[in-house]
Each structure stands twice: as structure tokens, then as C-alpha cells.
Amino acid sequence: MTQTLNLTINGTARAIALDDPRATLLDVLRERIGLTGTKKGCDRGQCGACTVLIDGRRMNACLALALSHDGASITTVEGLAQAEDLHPVQAAFIRHDGFQCGYCTPGQIMSAVALIAEGEAGLDPERVREGMSGNLCRCAAYAGITQAVLDATRVMTAREDAA
């Protein structure tokens, strides 16, 4: 029996026919929609490579049954940049070498975006490390990741203050 899943993905409404009610959001994004920026790492919710925003909250897409999020708004790493303008977190990751192999980077970026939006990043490196602890980097680029999140927090706070 086919069921229709209605999602808004990166601002675009989509109706997706699902034959398997056990399909994860990660599999729908990667295999059905073609958004491969969200990575399949451990497939157990332990590494954070598949982090996306669901209605503004970060979640491991490998643990999310797609049908349980019918009607949700999903943001993936592909939905952050505005045309050629990178999101401040993406730009900060580049400035601070917040990646090495790049496999975990999309999940790290999505988690950082949510951490900053939650107001939990602050300007304390320890708070950032704690807030990002659900995202693993096998290359150990943690110093660059922490600096990128701190820098993006400053940039985004300055933009809000100027507005």
C-alpha cells in the first residue's frame, strides 16, 4: 500500500509516494529526493552525519521515520546557502578549516546552525563543544569546528544587532 508523505524540503513543498512505511527520513532525502549532502554514517544515531533540521530542531535523519514527520519542514545542508551566498556557518567552516575529509561536515554544519539558533552556542568554547558533542569527526577537526561555530555566532549576532 502506497502512502503519500507531504514535506517542505528546503522551502519546496513535495508530495512523496512511499511504498515502505519503515523508510527513514535519511533514505527519503538521499534516495528519493536526491539530496545527498545529508550523509549516512553509522545508521544508528551515534555519529550525527545525518543531522537535519525538522521544524527548526536538529535531528538524526537516520532515526526519523519519514511518515512520522508528515507535514514537517525539513532543512538540509543544501538549503542553507542563498544562491552564491553561503550561510555564515558554512563560511566559518571554510575560514577555520572545520573539516578534513568532509564526510561529517554537513551534519556538523546543521548541528551548529541549530545550536546557534537555540541560543546555546554563546562565546564559550566549552559550551560549543558540549552542544556539538552529538556530532563525531573521525578526522578530529574539532578545534576548527569549535572556532567556526564561535566565529559564526559572532557574525550572526552582529548581523542581528545591526538589523
Side-chain angles (χ1 to χ4, degrees), residues 2-33:
T2 301
Q3 294 177 300
T4 301
L5 172 65
N6 294 295
L7 297 172
T8 301
I9 303 172
N10 298 328
T12 302
R14 295 181 179 256
I16 305 151
L18 289 182
D19 294 329
D20 184 357
R22 299 168 297 163
T24 65
L25 181 59
L26 175 61
D27 289 334
V28 168
L29 291 171
R30 289 183 59 79
E31 296 169 18
R32 298 293 305 278
I33 307 298

Side-chain angles (χ1 to χ4, degrees), residues 59-79:
M59 185 172 288
N60 292 336
C62 72
L63 296 179
L65 287 177
L67 281 175
S68 67
H69 296 286
D70 189 35
S73 177
I74 311 297
T75 305
T76 68
V77 71
E78 292 94 342

Side-chain angles (χ1 to χ4, degrees), residues 8-135:
T8 301
I9 303 172
N10 298 328
T12 302
R14 295 181 179 256
I16 305 151
L18 289 182
D19 294 329
D20 184 357
R22 299 168 297 163
T24 65
L25 181 59
L26 175 61
D27 289 334
V28 168
L29 291 171
R30 289 183 59 79
E31 296 169 18
R32 298 293 305 278
I33 307 298
L35 296 174
T36 58
T38 305
K39 302 301 184 206
K40 185 178 272 199
C42 66
D43 217 16
R44 294 186 175 160
Q46 297 174 340
C47 73
C50 65
T51 304
V52 297
L53 303 182
I54 301 175
D55 294 328
R57 297 185 60 206
R58 55 186 157 165
M59 185 172 288
N60 292 336
C62 72
L63 296 179
L65 287 177
L67 281 175
S68 67
H69 296 286
D70 189 35
S73 177
I74 311 297
T75 305
T76 68
V77 71
E78 292 94 342
L80 292 179
Q82 300 296 317
E84 297 297 317
D85 295 326
L86 293 177
H87 186 279
V89 173
Q90 291 171 309
F93 265 69
I94 293 169
R95 277 193 305 278
H96 294 280
D97 258 350
F99 54 90
Q100 285 184 24
C101 79
Y103 197 82
C104 72
T105 306
Q108 296 277 0
I109 287 172
M110 296 309 295
S111 191
V113 167
L115 184 69
I116 294 167
E118 294 160 4
E120 296 296 323
L123 296 176
D124 176 13
E126 188 57 35
R127 280 180 66 182
V128 169
R129 284 189 287 274
E130 177 66 26
M132 296 291 292
S133 65
N135 293 78

Side-chain angles (χ1 to χ4, degrees), residues 136-150:
L136 302 179
C137 175
R138 289 171 179 89
C139 299
Y142 294 113
I145 291 166
T146 301
Q147 289 306 310
V149 176
L150 293 169

